[in-house]
mmCIF file of all heavy atoms in Angstrom:
data_model
loop_
_atom_site.group_PDB
_atom_site.id
_atom_site.type_symbol
_atom_site.label_atom_id
_atom_site.label_comp_id
_atom_site.label_asym_id
_atom_site.label_seq_id
_atom_site.Cartn_x
_atom_site.Cartn_y
_atom_site.Cartn_z
ATOM 1 N N ALA A 1568 132.914 155.187 49.627
ATOM 2 C CA ALA A 1568 132.421 153.972 50.436
ATOM 3 C C ALA A 1568 132.287 154.257 51.871
ATOM 4 O O ALA A 1568 131.318 153.846 52.479
ATOM 5 C CB ALA A 1568 133.551 152.771 50.233
ATOM 6 N N ALA A 1569 133.140 155.136 52.490
ATOM 7 C CA ALA A 1569 132.999 155.524 53.904
ATOM 8 C C ALA A 1569 131.758 156.413 54.028
ATOM 9 O O ALA A 1569 130.917 156.241 54.985
ATOM 10 C CB ALA A 1569 134.142 156.347 54.318
ATOM 11 N N ALA A 1570 131.445 157.278 53.050
ATOM 12 C CA ALA A 1570 130.306 158.166 53.172
ATOM 13 C C ALA A 1570 129.026 157.241 53.051
ATOM 14 O O ALA A 1570 128.085 157.503 53.808
ATOM 15 C CB ALA A 1570 130.303 159.209 52.072
ATOM 16 N N SER A 1571 129.076 156.254 52.187
ATOM 17 C CA SER A 1571 127.937 155.390 52.077
ATOM 18 C C SER A 1571 127.669 154.551 53.328
ATOM 19 O O SER A 1571 126.546 154.476 53.824
ATOM 20 C CB SER A 1571 128.145 154.424 50.883
ATOM 21 O OG SER A 1571 128.308 155.092 49.658
ATOM 22 N N ASN A 1572 128.762 154.040 53.890
ATOM 23 C CA ASN A 1572 128.665 153.340 55.092
ATOM 24 C C ASN A 1572 128.058 154.228 56.261
ATOM 25 O O ASN A 1572 127.221 153.801 57.051
ATOM 26 C CB ASN A 1572 129.973 152.739 55.612
ATOM 27 C CG ASN A 1572 129.880 151.822 56.706
ATOM 28 O OD1 ASN A 1572 129.022 150.899 56.733
ATOM 29 N ND2 ASN A 1572 130.672 152.027 57.715
ATOM 30 N N ALA A 1573 128.610 155.476 56.327
ATOM 31 C CA ALA A 1573 128.102 156.301 57.382
ATOM 32 C C ALA A 1573 126.579 156.563 57.259
ATOM 33 O O ALA A 1573 125.806 156.537 58.154
ATOM 34 C CB ALA A 1573 128.882 157.644 57.391
ATOM 35 N N TRP A 1574 126.207 156.948 55.997
ATOM 36 C CA TRP A 1574 124.845 157.258 55.746
ATOM 37 C C TRP A 1574 123.874 156.029 56.066
ATOM 38 O O TRP A 1574 122.878 156.168 56.708
ATOM 39 C CB TRP A 1574 124.590 157.641 54.309
ATOM 40 C CG TRP A 1574 123.196 157.886 53.983
ATOM 41 C CD1 TRP A 1574 122.241 157.020 53.474
ATOM 42 C CD2 TRP A 1574 122.386 159.029 54.164
ATOM 43 N NE1 TRP A 1574 121.012 157.522 53.305
ATOM 44 C CE2 TRP A 1574 121.110 158.838 53.756
ATOM 45 C CE3 TRP A 1574 122.749 160.366 54.673
ATOM 46 C CZ2 TRP A 1574 120.066 159.821 53.881
ATOM 47 C CZ3 TRP A 1574 121.707 161.314 54.816
ATOM 48 C CH2 TRP A 1574 120.387 161.058 54.429
ATOM 49 N N ASN A 1575 124.314 154.895 55.576
ATOM 50 C CA ASN A 1575 123.494 153.672 55.738
ATOM 51 C C ASN A 1575 123.403 153.299 57.172
ATOM 52 O O ASN A 1575 122.229 152.777 57.609
ATOM 53 C CB ASN A 1575 123.997 152.536 54.932
ATOM 54 C CG ASN A 1575 123.913 152.813 53.433
ATOM 55 O OD1 ASN A 1575 123.033 153.650 52.962
ATOM 56 N ND2 ASN A 1575 124.777 152.173 52.635
ATOM 57 N N THR A 1576 124.438 153.475 57.973
ATOM 58 C CA THR A 1576 124.314 153.163 59.425
ATOM 59 C C THR A 1576 123.360 154.176 60.120
ATOM 60 O O THR A 1576 122.688 153.728 60.962
ATOM 61 C CB THR A 1576 125.742 153.338 59.993
ATOM 62 O OG1 THR A 1576 126.572 152.316 59.322
ATOM 63 C CG2 THR A 1576 125.783 153.048 61.542
ATOM 64 N N GLU A 1577 123.431 155.386 59.696
ATOM 65 C CA GLU A 1577 122.603 156.385 60.366
ATOM 66 C C GLU A 1577 121.158 156.481 59.855
ATOM 67 O O GLU A 1577 120.190 156.668 60.596
ATOM 68 C CB GLU A 1577 123.169 157.871 60.234
ATOM 69 C CG GLU A 1577 124.517 157.972 60.856
ATOM 70 C CD GLU A 1577 125.266 159.245 60.450
ATOM 71 O OE1 GLU A 1577 124.560 160.135 59.873
ATOM 72 O OE2 GLU A 1577 126.516 159.404 60.604
ATOM 73 N N GLN A 1578 120.970 156.358 58.590
ATOM 74 C CA GLN A 1578 119.737 156.659 58.024
ATOM 75 C C GLN A 1578 118.975 155.497 57.341
ATOM 76 O O GLN A 1578 117.768 155.435 57.374
ATOM 77 C CB GLN A 1578 119.881 157.744 56.898
ATOM 78 C CG GLN A 1578 120.478 159.010 57.344
ATOM 79 C CD GLN A 1578 119.713 159.763 58.270
ATOM 80 O OE1 GLN A 1578 118.469 159.865 58.155
ATOM 81 N NE2 GLN A 1578 120.326 160.415 59.270
ATOM 82 N N LEU A 1579 119.641 154.654 56.754
ATOM 83 C CA LEU A 1579 119.047 153.447 56.048
ATOM 84 C C LEU A 1579 118.252 153.713 54.757
ATOM 85 O O LEU A 1579 118.122 152.821 53.842
ATOM 86 C CB LEU A 1579 118.188 152.621 57.019
ATOM 87 C CG LEU A 1579 118.898 152.094 58.241
ATOM 88 C CD1 LEU A 1579 117.961 151.345 59.101
ATOM 89 C CD2 LEU A 1579 120.006 151.125 57.789
ATOM 90 N N ASN A 1580 117.643 154.856 54.629
ATOM 91 C CA ASN A 1580 116.884 155.096 53.400
ATOM 92 C C ASN A 1580 117.056 156.530 52.957
ATOM 93 O O ASN A 1580 116.929 157.455 53.763
ATOM 94 C CB ASN A 1580 115.389 154.814 53.818
ATOM 95 C CG ASN A 1580 114.461 154.774 52.572
ATOM 96 O OD1 ASN A 1580 114.941 154.540 51.565
ATOM 97 N ND2 ASN A 1580 113.171 154.999 52.864
ATOM 98 N N PRO A 1581 117.399 156.761 51.682
ATOM 99 C CA PRO A 1581 117.699 155.773 50.684
ATOM 100 C C PRO A 1581 119.061 155.034 51.023
ATOM 101 O O PRO A 1581 119.845 155.685 51.678
ATOM 102 C CB PRO A 1581 117.774 156.451 49.346
ATOM 103 C CG PRO A 1581 117.913 157.952 49.744
ATOM 104 C CD PRO A 1581 117.460 158.074 51.059
ATOM 105 N N MET A 1582 119.094 153.814 50.603
ATOM 106 C CA MET A 1582 120.458 153.143 50.774
ATOM 107 C C MET A 1582 121.382 153.830 49.784
ATOM 108 O O MET A 1582 121.045 153.972 48.673
ATOM 109 C CB MET A 1582 120.283 151.618 50.484
ATOM 110 C CG MET A 1582 121.545 150.890 50.603
ATOM 111 S SD MET A 1582 121.333 149.165 50.053
ATOM 112 C CE MET A 1582 121.436 149.395 48.246
ATOM 113 N N LEU A 1583 122.544 154.173 50.264
ATOM 114 C CA LEU A 1583 123.531 154.831 49.532
ATOM 115 C C LEU A 1583 124.719 153.811 49.210
ATOM 116 O O LEU A 1583 125.126 153.084 50.049
ATOM 117 C CB LEU A 1583 124.168 155.924 50.224
ATOM 118 C CG LEU A 1583 125.230 156.763 49.529
ATOM 119 C CD1 LEU A 1583 124.682 157.395 48.206
ATOM 120 C CD2 LEU A 1583 125.800 157.883 50.455
ATOM 121 N N ARG A 1622 115.134 163.022 51.440
ATOM 122 C CA ARG A 1622 116.242 162.307 52.047
ATOM 123 C C ARG A 1622 117.477 162.202 51.155
ATOM 124 O O ARG A 1622 118.573 162.358 51.511
ATOM 125 C CB ARG A 1622 115.810 160.885 52.501
ATOM 126 C CG ARG A 1622 114.889 160.908 53.720
ATOM 127 C CD ARG A 1622 114.298 159.576 53.934
ATOM 128 N NE ARG A 1622 113.402 159.592 55.140
ATOM 129 C CZ ARG A 1622 113.703 159.105 56.332
ATOM 130 N NH1 ARG A 1622 114.888 158.690 56.593
ATOM 131 N NH2 ARG A 1622 112.827 159.192 57.292
ATOM 132 N N GLN A 1625 119.232 165.473 51.147
ATOM 133 C CA GLN A 1625 120.066 165.455 52.339
ATOM 134 C C GLN A 1625 121.328 164.709 52.249
ATOM 135 O O GLN A 1625 122.405 165.060 52.578
ATOM 136 C CB GLN A 1625 119.272 165.008 53.586
ATOM 137 C CG GLN A 1625 118.192 166.000 53.965
ATOM 138 C CD GLN A 1625 117.246 165.311 55.008
ATOM 139 O OE1 GLN A 1625 117.600 164.268 55.586
ATOM 140 N NE2 GLN A 1625 116.012 165.998 55.205
ATOM 141 N N MET A 1626 121.100 163.474 51.604
ATOM 142 C CA MET A 1626 122.223 162.537 51.434
ATOM 143 C C MET A 1626 123.299 163.135 50.527
ATOM 144 O O MET A 1626 124.548 163.104 50.833
ATOM 145 C CB MET A 1626 121.642 161.199 50.796
ATOM 146 C CG MET A 1626 122.648 160.179 50.514
ATOM 147 S SD MET A 1626 121.822 158.637 49.874
ATOM 148 C CE MET A 1626 121.220 159.189 48.239
ATOM 149 N N ARG A 1629 125.110 166.169 52.087
ATOM 150 C CA ARG A 1629 126.052 165.692 53.085
ATOM 151 C C ARG A 1629 127.288 165.149 52.393
ATOM 152 O O ARG A 1629 128.489 165.511 52.772
ATOM 153 C CB ARG A 1629 125.563 164.622 53.939
ATOM 154 C CG ARG A 1629 126.615 164.167 54.943
ATOM 155 C CD ARG A 1629 126.273 162.984 55.802
ATOM 156 N NE ARG A 1629 125.261 163.321 56.799
ATOM 157 C CZ ARG A 1629 124.713 162.450 57.701
ATOM 158 N NH1 ARG A 1629 125.094 161.283 57.636
ATOM 159 N NH2 ARG A 1629 123.870 162.943 58.607
ATOM 160 N N CYS A 1630 127.176 164.358 51.327
ATOM 161 C CA CYS A 1630 128.366 163.841 50.628
ATOM 162 C C CYS A 1630 129.119 164.891 49.942
ATOM 163 O O CYS A 1630 130.285 164.864 49.934
ATOM 164 C CB CYS A 1630 127.872 162.873 49.581
ATOM 165 S SG CYS A 1630 127.222 161.212 50.168
ATOM 166 N N VAL A 1633 130.368 167.391 53.457
ATOM 167 C CA VAL A 1633 131.278 166.645 54.547
ATOM 168 C C VAL A 1633 132.275 165.910 53.961
ATOM 169 O O VAL A 1633 133.458 165.935 54.264
ATOM 170 C CB VAL A 1633 130.378 165.815 55.408
ATOM 171 C CG1 VAL A 1633 131.181 164.993 56.413
ATOM 172 C CG2 VAL A 1633 129.278 166.700 56.173
ATOM 173 N N PHE A 1634 131.972 165.179 52.817
ATOM 174 C CA PHE A 1634 132.981 164.300 52.222
ATOM 175 C C PHE A 1634 133.648 164.819 50.960
ATOM 176 O O PHE A 1634 134.482 164.125 50.342
ATOM 177 C CB PHE A 1634 132.382 162.927 51.942
ATOM 178 C CG PHE A 1634 131.894 162.233 53.271
ATOM 179 C CD1 PHE A 1634 130.646 162.198 53.663
ATOM 180 C CD2 PHE A 1634 132.883 161.452 53.928
ATOM 181 C CE1 PHE A 1634 130.221 161.555 54.775
ATOM 182 C CE2 PHE A 1634 132.510 160.783 55.098
ATOM 183 C CZ PHE A 1634 131.241 160.885 55.539
#
Side-chain angles (χ1 to χ4, degrees):
S1571 296
N1572 187 50
W1574 177 267
N1575 293 338
T1576 300
E1577 295 170 16
Q1578 304 292 323
L1579 299 176
N1580 194 21
M1582 181 186 76
L1583 179 62
R1622 289 172 182 256
Q1625 293 169 12
M1626 178 178 69
R1629 180 187 285 179
C1630 286
V1633 174
F1634 295 97

